[in-house]
Amino acid sequence: MKIIIDAMGGDNAPDEIVKGAIEAAEAFNIEIILTGKGEEILRSVQKMGRTELPKGIEIAHADQVIAMDEDPVTAIREKKDSSMLVGLNMLRDGLGDAMVSAGSTGALLSGATLVVKRIRGIRRAAMAPVLPVGDKGIVLIDCGANAECTPEYLLQFAFMGSFYAEHVLKIKKPRVGLLNIGTESIKGTDLQIEAYRLLEEASKDGALNFVGNVESKGVMYGECDVLVADGYTGNILLKSIEGTASFLLREIKGVFMKNAVTKLAALLVKKHVRSLRERMDADKVGGTALLGISKPVIKAHGSSGAAALKNAVLQAMTTVDAHIAEEIQSNIERMKIEEKAEKN
Amino acid sequence: MKIIIDAMGGDNAPDEIVKGAIEAAEAFNIEIILTGKGEEILRSVQKMGRTELPKGIEIAHADQVIAMDEDPVTAIREKKDSSMLVGLNMLRDGLGDAMVSAGSTGALLSGATLVVKRIRGIRRAAMAPVLPVGDKGIVLIDCGANAECTPEYLLQFAFMGSFYAEHVLKIKKPRVGLLNIGTESIKGTDLQIEAYRLLEEASKDGALNFVGNVESKGVMYGECDVLVADGYTGNILLKSIEGTASFLLREIKGVFMKNAVTKLAALLVKKHVRSLRERMDADKVGGTALLGISKPVIKAHGSSGAAALKNAVLQAMTTVDAHIAEEIQSNIERMKIEEKAEKN
């Protein structure tokens, strides 16, 4: 297997990206293509104490870098020789099996859509991060790629998220929930009400395991395996979970730092609190899959260090093995509402 | 001052409601009208070890009770003699200064709108709970009354929330934020983009202190004092904060229960963890104000015990003193977008 990695993307590029890539290549016995400025990449390799590029790792030189704060569409249009676009072109041309980037989310999404293309019949690609819930996590789809959605988009997100949960997270018959403000089928806006109907219909066919509406307070308690949302709401949910968790963990830390007695208490539970902190840590869960694109593209966190990047590579490998795109393609007729309307 | 309390609303009615009401009357030196089944209310009084109704507290008998799971609109239409409607009618007729109910949210909202009426010019009443952030809290408006909103609703929510933060929470020049998925003015759906423009315009007039978009991860860190959202998203946010906090506090408890050593640690920090837990506890913050109604109506939590009910009464009293409805009424011209369009 060969994974293409954008060596220049993310806050810690290229050093940490290159380090994570080399570690991944050796740990997982795969080939890797690093896209970016050759000299800088080689310097990062040397910083690791190595004199040359390890076997199985090649560099695809790219002169430009897309910055995190650039307008995504303009960047993709104008920076043809950026590490991200060079990588996406190689992925399209079959020179690698999947692409991983810790660079600009918007640019990666635009670039993947323009260059690698969506699966035929899929209306919109969606971002599907895995929330740190339970043993295997919850796939949240979408979390920001599409602020405005139609019921059909949500139906497609449900299928894509379900395939991903089944084949990448290895959850049998994943329970698909619709993010909503109450459990009854008439809750929410017109979007959720109509999406509920479509999901229920798909569930009757046995094509999906739809478990109904899920309220945001039930998410952390694992009420579903796949959580379907429009990108606006999904983003609000994701960042509110992250923000609340980070706030509370900081407060807990504050409790332990109060005085000598609490500091002693901190020593006694240190190991367990660290393990809780790690469970809530996005980096451990890996990157965010861009679903609906014809080949696997994984967005690693912008703040990825070597360990997080390595996790994202593993996630890309699992996604390649899972043949998600093929699975989506072969079920595409079930995901079109025009087709469904004719059947009724 | 005289507060009307729905004695039959909520999971712990009437015992805890009656207890909280009596405690409030005595602590705050106010009059209270309890609406509901006279006999049951008297029995609750006796359970407190009292032989008769304390001075300053009267009962307005009502034969019916609206259950939490009834359809709100049907219940309000059909149960004319319910404790909730009897109370709302008394409020409308000036027999009390404010109303508190721990009963069905939907019914209270419908009933308040139908009976007490909205302030003239206000398009929709909104629910404005106070999030447990910082010393004074953050007013979230709306959190579920209106799943579908227009930009004008959001503008009105901003003004109403701002008056409430200023006069009830005593925050000077409250910072108004728009809940969104990024800080730039073009982020979000058409609703947020247009609301941003209206809020910015109102802010230029000095009528509001709009600080721009606020992402959900910044909410717990107090990036604003008033957070404006459509009811669907506001509800997702509120319940996701509640769910994540409850989940993490449970996990922390789990950490402390692991073994003899961690149990010792628990003893050492017990007081501080309890104080953190209490800060995150919705009951301490009080109830949710229904803003936009012509007289103060406070929705206490369904699970309210006596202490929470007492807090909700205090909140109702502060709201009466703050003359929020009058403040909204006298600023109503600034909250209409047709008027604004003519000015430009």
Side-chain angles (χ1 to χ4, degrees):
Chain A
M1 191 179 300
K2 193 181 273 188
I3 308 290
I4 304 163
I5 299 177
D6 172 4
M8 312 305 286
D11 306 334
N12 304 308
D15 285 357
E16 289 291 309
I17 305 297
V18 170
K19 185 161 180 274
I22 291 176
E23 286 174 7
E26 290 172 348
F28 310 135
N29 195 26
I30 53 165
E31 291 176 279
I32 279 176
I33 301 174
L34 291 164
T35 64
K37 296 182 183 172
E39 268 179 46
E40 289 194 30
I41 295 173
L42 287 172
R43 210 175 302 136
S44 298
V45 172
Q46 281 157 8
K47 279 189 196 164
M48 288 179 70
R50 308 206 176 203
T51 49
E52 56 182 18
L53 213 55
K55 208 173 142 254
I57 299 190
E58 37 182 310
I59 295 175
H61 183 78
D63 254 339
Q64 294 171 303
V65 176
I66 295 176
M68 295 302 247
D69 56 357
E70 280 183 77
D71 175 62
V73 179
T74 314
I76 286 296
R77 199 179 298 135
E78 292 176 1
K79 292 194 166 170
K80 298 289 179 207
D81 196 30
S82 61
S83 58
M84 191 185 279
L85 265 179
V86 165
L88 288 170
N89 279 314
M90 293 179 87
L91 180 63
R92 178 199 59 202
D93 297 340
L95 301 173
D97 300 296
M99 160 107 179
V100 174
S101 175
S104 154
T105 306
L108 188 64
L109 188 69
S110 303
T113 305
L114 284 169
V115 175
V116 189
K117 306 280 190 213
R118 286 196 294 271
I119 295 165
R120 185 185 295 265
I122 289 295
R123 307 283 180 201
R124 291 290 183 280
M127 296 184 50
V130 179
L131 304 176
V133 178
D135 292 340
K136 297 189 169 177
I138 290 180
V139 180
L140 169 64
I141 179 167
D142 178 32
C143 87
N146 313 281
E148 310 253 19
C149 288
T150 67
E152 188 186 32
Y153 295 2
L154 264 52
L155 177 69
Q156 297 197 337
F157 296 169
F159 273 97
M160 297 196 296
S162 188
F163 294 145
Y164 188 79
E166 189 170 349
H167 299 295
V168 176
L169 306 185
K170 313 291 181 198
I171 298 168
K172 276 183 196 159
K173 285 191 135 250
R175 295 160 303 151
V176 175
L178 177 65
L179 182 61
N180 210 335
I181 60 176
T183 51
E184 306 90 332
S185 63
I186 49 135
K187 286 284 178 177
T189 70
D190 292 346
L191 174 63
Q192 285 81 31
I193 294 168
E194 178 58 14
Y196 188 103
R197 204 187 58 75
L198 294 175
L199 289 167
E200 204 171 34
E201 204 178 292
S203 206
K204 275 184 201 149
D205 293 353
L208 274 184
N209 178 18
F210 179 53
V211 296
N213 288 331
V214 168
E215 291 185 79
S216 54
K217 70 179 170 196
V219 173
M220 290 305 292
Y221 289 96
E223 290 185 1
C224 61
D225 304 305
V226 177
L227 185 62
V228 175
D230 63 274
Y232 176 82
T233 316
N235 191 282
I236 296 288
L237 175 79
L238 178 70
K239 290 187 178 165
S240 128
I241 292 175
E242 284 176 2
T244 308
S246 122
F247 172 81
L248 267 176
L249 289 170
R250 193 190 67 168
E251 293 295 303
I252 293 288
K253 197 173 177 182
V255 161
F256 284 126
M257 298 302 288
K258 279 213 184 296
N259 55 44
V261 174
T262 60
K263 281 178 188 164
L264 170 62
L267 283 178
L268 302 178
V269 294
K270 200 172 175 182
K271 190 178 66 180
H272 304 294
V273 171
R274 190 192 300 135
S275 124
L276 175 61
R277 195 178 289 274
E278 281 174 2
R279 261 175 56 208
M280 298 303 296
D281 184 351
D283 280 5
K284 301 284 166 194
V285 182
T288 294
L290 266 53
L291 297 182
I293 300 294
S294 62
K295 296 188 177 186
V297 178
I298 302 290
K299 165 72 176 84
H301 291 271
S303 61
S304 291
L309 198 277
K310 192 175 149 191
N311 272 330
V313 171
L314 183 59
Q315 191 181 1
M317 292 167 57
T318 319
T319 310
V320 171
D321 282 336
H323 303 285
I324 300 290
E326 291 82 340
E327 177 100 30
I328 295 171
Q329 187 67 78
S330 65
N331 281 281
I332 198 73
E333 292 308 319
R334 292 168 144 169
M335 304 185 210
K336 292 181 182 169
I337 58 171
E338 296 85 340
E339 302 282 328
K340 288 191 168 277
E342 279 172 25
K343 269 201 299 182
N344 290 343
Chain B
M1 190 177 303
K2 193 180 272 188
I3 308 291
I4 304 161
I5 299 176
D6 171 4
M8 313 305 286
D11 306 336
N12 304 309
D15 285 358
E16 289 291 311
I17 306 296
V18 171
K19 185 164 182 271
I22 291 176
E23 286 174 6
E26 291 173 347
F28 311 135
N29 196 25
I30 53 167
E31 291 177 280
I32 279 176
I33 301 173
L34 290 166
T35 63
K37 296 183 182 172
E39 267 179 46
E40 290 194 28
I41 294 173
L42 286 173
R43 209 174 305 138
S44 297
V45 173
Q46 283 157 6
K47 280 190 196 164
M48 287 180 71
R50 308 204 176 204
T51 50
E52 56 184 17
L53 213 55
K55 209 176 141 250
I57 298 192
E58 36 182 309
I59 294 175
H61 183 79
D63 253 339
Q64 294 170 302
V65 176
I66 295 177
M68 295 303 248
D69 57 357
E70 278 183 80
D71 175 62
V73 179
T74 314
I76 287 297
R77 198 179 299 136
E78 292 177 2
K79 292 194 165 172
K80 297 288 178 208
D81 197 29
S82 60
S83 57
M84 191 185 279
L85 266 178
V86 166
L88 289 169
N89 279 313
M90 294 179 87
L91 180 64
R92 178 199 58 203
D93 296 341
L95 301 174
D97 300 296
M99 161 105 178
V100 174
S101 175
S104 154
T105 306
L108 188 63
L109 187 70
S110 302
T113 305
L114 284 168
V115 175
V116 190
K117 306 281 189 211
R118 285 195 295 269
I119 295 164
R120 185 184 295 266
I122 289 293
R123 308 283 178 202
R124 290 289 184 280
M127 297 184 50
V130 179
L131 304 177
V133 177
D135 291 342
K136 299 190 168 177
I138 290 180
V139 180
L140 169 64
I141 181 168
D142 177 32
C143 86
N146 313 282
E148 310 254 16
C149 288
T150 69
E152 188 185 32
Y153 295 1
L154 265 51
L155 176 69
Q156 297 196 337
F157 296 168
F159 273 97
M160 298 196 295
S162 188
F163 295 144
Y164 188 80
E166 189 170 350
H167 300 293
V168 177
L169 306 184
K170 312 292 183 199
I171 298 169
K172 277 184 194 157
K173 286 193 135 248
R175 295 162 302 152
V176 175
L178 177 65
L179 182 60
N180 209 334
I181 60 174
T183 53
E184 306 90 330
S185 63
I186 48 134
K187 285 284 177 177
T189 70
D190 292 346
L191 174 64
Q192 285 80 32
I193 294 168
E194 178 58 14
Y196 189 103
R197 203 186 59 74
L198 294 175
L199 290 167
E200 204 171 34
E201 204 177 293
S203 205
K204 275 184 199 147
D205 294 353
L208 273 185
N209 178 18
F210 179 54
V211 296
N213 288 331
V214 168
E215 291 185 80
S216 54
K217 70 179 170 195
V219 173
M220 290 305 293
Y221 288 96
E223 291 185 1
C224 61
D225 303 306
V226 178
L227 185 61
V228 175
D230 63 275
Y232 176 82
T233 316
N235 190 282
I236 297 287
L237 176 80
L238 178 70
K239 290 187 179 165
S240 126
I241 292 174
E242 285 175 2
T244 308
S246 124
F247 172 81
L248 266 175
L249 289 169
R250 193 190 66 168
E251 293 294 305
I252 293 288
K253 198 172 175 182
V255 161
F256 284 126
M257 298 302 287
K258 276 210 184 301
N259 55 45
V261 175
T262 60
K263 280 177 188 165
L264 170 61
L267 283 177
L268 302 178
V269 293
K270 201 172 174 180
K271 190 180 65 180
H272 305 294
V273 171
R274 191 193 299 132
S275 125
L276 174 61
R277 196 180 289 275
E278 280 173 4
R279 263 175 53 209
M280 298 303 297
D281 185 351
D283 279 4
K284 302 283 165 195
V285 183
T288 294
L290 265 51
L291 297 181
I293 300 295
S294 62
K295 297 189 176 187
V297 178
I298 303 289
K299 165 71 177 84
H301 290 271
S303 61
S304 291
L309 198 277
K310 191 175 150 189
N311 273 330
V313 171
L314 183 60
Q315 190 181 2
M317 293 167 58
T318 320
T319 310
V320 171
D321 283 336
H323 302 284
I324 301 289
E326 291 83 341
E327 176 101 31
I328 294 171
Q329 187 67 78
S330 65
N331 282 281
I332 197 74
E333 292 308 320
R334 292 169 146 170
M335 304 184 212
K336 293 181 181 168
I337 58 171
E338 296 86 343
E339 301 282 328
K340 289 196 168 273
E342 276 172 29
K343 270 200 303 187
N344 291 344

